[in-house]
Amino acid sequence: MFFKQRMSADGTLSYLYGCGSRGLAVAVDVVAGDEDWFVAEAQKSTVHIAYVIDTHIHADHLSGGRTLAARVGSPYCLHESDQGAVGFPIHGLRDGDELATGNVVTRVIHTPGHTQDSICLLVADLRRGRDPWFALTGDTIFVGGVGRPDLGGTPEHMAALLYDSLHERILALPDDLEIFPGHAAGSVCGAGLSGKPSSTLGFERRFDPYLSLGREAFIARLVEETPARPADMDRIVAANLGRAA
């Protein structure tokens, strides 16, 4: 298995991983302008990018996922709930779907809260076992924080969804699971984000200040501490939906 993480100047994190022996890879949360990097890295590793995935419709930056998918001739994937919202074809991902790329298997879990369509990806290397080795958590959980709750409904409702996703889906996973989020410090997609671009679920369970709160306290604190909305958000979301004016 190979794994590459790319950080943009604003703290956005993107990923390329897969099975080198079978020549297949997955690209996740590609930022517009970084498509050449993904193509070059895939060529270096002699792999074909079989799936391009966005963990949700991004509000803080333009996605390069659709452009990369077209370049490499592979499906562009979002949660299935986006099929009626976007202005282009997608491969709709369902909760529990498994994407096989050689010895690497990616399982989709739907984790609404930051947005209605948010997903996390559990990744296993079958040469080591079927248990997930790491999770790409998008904007659901960060190192030292969680996703903002004001992008897909009332903040209180979305914060409640996020609490349920965290406690019913994410925190039910093993403590030794590595987590790789969609952003690090510098991003406006959450408050209190660490500059460290990865962690373990056990460490976050102990030290992420949001994860020890009860449901009502979590909702109140998250809504209160949500940073200002991203600049140009409406234009960015429209472009990522394929509905820009």
Side-chain angles (χ1 to χ4, degrees):
M1 181 181 189
F2 72 93
F3 177 86
K4 300 175 186 290
Q5 183 187 61
R6 179 171 176 81
M7 182 182 287
S8 299
D10 64 355
T12 298
L13 297 167
S14 304
Y15 299 92
L16 179 68
Y17 65 92
C19 178
S21 62
R22 301 294 180 87
L24 296 169
V26 180
V28 178
D29 287 341
V30 178
V31 175
D34 285 351
E35 298 90 346
D36 287 347
W37 181 87
F38 280 86
V39 171
E41 291 299 317
Q43 290 173 344
K44 287 179 189 177
S45 299
T46 62
V47 297
H48 168 63
I49 299 174
Y51 297 97
V52 181
I53 303 172
D54 268 329
T55 56
H56 59 290
I57 297 293
H58 298 287
D60 64 311
H61 67 273
L62 295 174
S63 169
R66 188 158 44 112
T67 300
L68 177 63
R71 282 183 61 175
V72 301
S74 295
Y76 173 52
C77 306
L78 289 162
H79 184 255
E80 62 176 349
S81 62
D82 288 320
Q83 286 181 319
V86 297
F88 45 82
I90 64 170
H91 177 75
L93 298 174
R94 299 179 179 180
D95 184 67
D97 279 354
E98 291 192 348
L99 307 177
T101 46
N103 292 312
V104 175
V105 175
T106 301
R107 180 158 62 90
V108 178
I109 55 174
H110 185 209
T111 53
H114 173 65
T115 59
Q116 295 281 1
D117 65 337
S118 288
I119 58 173
C120 295
L121 304 172
L122 301 180
V123 183
D125 180 354
L126 298 182
R127 299 179 68 177
R128 306 193 71 187
R130 285 205 60 88
D131 290 343
W133 187 353
F134 61 87
L136 303 185
T137 58
D139 289 12
T140 296
I141 181 172
F142 302 118
V143 179
V146 297
R148 61 185 301 144
D150 61 333
L151 301 180
T154 65
E156 291 78 9
H157 173 66
M158 296 300 289
L161 288 179
L162 183 57
Y163 180 89
D164 292 341
S165 290
L166 288 167
H167 286 267
E168 294 173 10
R169 309 305 303 276
I170 301 300
L171 294 177
L173 297 167
D175 277 352
D176 59 2
L177 184 73
E178 296 177 278
I179 62 170
F180 292 89
H183 296 282
S187 169
V188 296
C189 286
L193 277 63
S194 171
K196 188 175 184 295
S198 67
S199 185
T200 65
L201 188 57
F203 194 89
E204 295 310 304
R205 193 192 306 273
R206 291 173 60 197
F207 295 111
D208 185 324
Y210 293 98
L211 300 185
S212 61
L213 298 173
R215 197 170 193 270
E216 296 308 314
F218 174 92
I219 293 169
R221 179 169 176 178
L222 187 57
V223 170
E224 179 184 356
E225 296 182 353
T226 298
R229 290 167 75 86
D232 226 6
M233 186 190 82
D234 290 341
R235 180 188 65 83
I236 292 170
V237 170
N240 289 336
L241 287 170
R243 302 188 182 279

